[in-house]
Amino acid sequence: MDVTPPVDLPEPRRLGPLARLAPEPMKVVLNWGRRYSLWVFNFGLACCAIEFIAASMARHDFIRLGVIPFAPGPRQADLMIVSGTVTDKMAPAVKRLYEQMPEPKYVISFGACSNCGGPYWDSYSVTKGVDQIIPVDVYVPGCPPRPEALLQGIIKLQEKIAKESLGERYASGGGRASTAALRSGLVTPPPPPSEETDR
């Protein structure tokens, strides 16, 4: 009788601190729920916002992908879509609203202006991409991108969510740069006026 020693199999990835309570298929169920129930907080700043609105209307209808447009506010949203030119004056508001969104949260940068400043990249008042102030998950190129491009970006984000491991996401570092590390020197508030200039 041939008896082979048992083979040590690698331990499957778990959900972090809840590993002893949650089985491995739970990751699939949680990611499936996140993937098909994305409440969108639209941050429309320029002409790309019109393309976003077109993607939510009857012809393209991204609700069929499980994306619910127009969340009441940042505290009810999972996905922020920044569409349009982010100026240095608007950047602190984008960051503040992103920080009010609950985890897990995702960001799609929609259009050339949001990606890198677009045709206004050399302007003194334009932020050179929204990724200077918040972490971005998916970039959708174009000036302006078509609604089909946004649908493709949403599908790419859903594929990313489906493969996501919460343990890796919330581990120290987590593969996502912190907003403090991405902070641009352009969004610091101006110094308060001195008394000498008031006189």
Side-chain angles (χ1 to χ4, degrees):
M1 181 176 190
D2 185 22
V3 178
T4 57
V7 178
D8 291 334
L9 296 173
E11 187 175 340
R13 297 207 152 171
R14 301 292 181 184
L15 290 172
L18 298 176
R20 59 189 176 79
L21 302 175
E24 185 64 21
M26 196 64 162
K27 178 181 112 175
V28 176
V29 173
L30 291 174
N31 287 349
W32 178 84
R34 281 191 202 93
R35 181 180 181 182
Y36 293 117
S37 63
L38 292 168
W39 282 82
V40 176
F41 184 66
N42 180 29
F43 216 95
L45 298 170
C47 47
C48 290
I50 305 302
E51 301 297 325
F52 169 86
I53 293 167
S56 67
M57 294 294 114
R59 179 183 291 265
H60 302 287
D61 188 26
F62 62 37
I63 297 176
R64 64 195 161 95
L65 299 176
V67 178
I68 300 97
F70 313 122
R75 290 174 187 86
Q76 292 80 29
D78 306 301
L79 170 62
M80 176 185 275
I81 298 180
V82 182
S83 49
T85 312
V86 182
T87 60
D88 294 339
K89 190 172 183 180
M90 183 56 76
V94 174
K95 183 175 184 293
R96 187 180 311 117
L97 290 168
Y98 172 80
E99 288 173 348
Q100 290 177 9
M101 291 169 62
E103 286 284 354
K105 54 191 171 186
Y106 308 96
V107 176
I108 291 179
S109 177
F110 185 57
C113 289
S114 179
N115 291 346
C116 62
Y120 313 109
W121 66 272
D122 60 346
S123 172
Y124 70 95
S125 63
V126 172
T127 304
K128 310 307 184 259
V130 74
D131 56 1
Q132 299 289 315
I133 50 173
I134 58 176
V136 174
D137 294 288
V138 175
Y139 295 87
V140 178
C143 184
R146 300 246 332 133
E148 295 89 349
L150 180 58
L151 296 181
Q152 182 68 22
I154 289 168
I155 290 169
K156 291 294 180 190
L157 178 64
Q158 289 176 333
E159 290 171 359
K160 183 176 181 178
I161 294 169
K163 298 178 205 168
E164 190 171 54
S165 165
L166 293 179
E168 291 172 4
R169 183 180 176 94
Y170 298 115
S172 59
R176 287 170 61 104
S178 67
T179 53
L182 295 170
R183 191 175 215 175
S184 170
L186 299 173
V187 295
T188 55
S194 63
E195 292 182 15
E196 295 176 2
T197 57
D198 292 340
R199 293 180 186 174

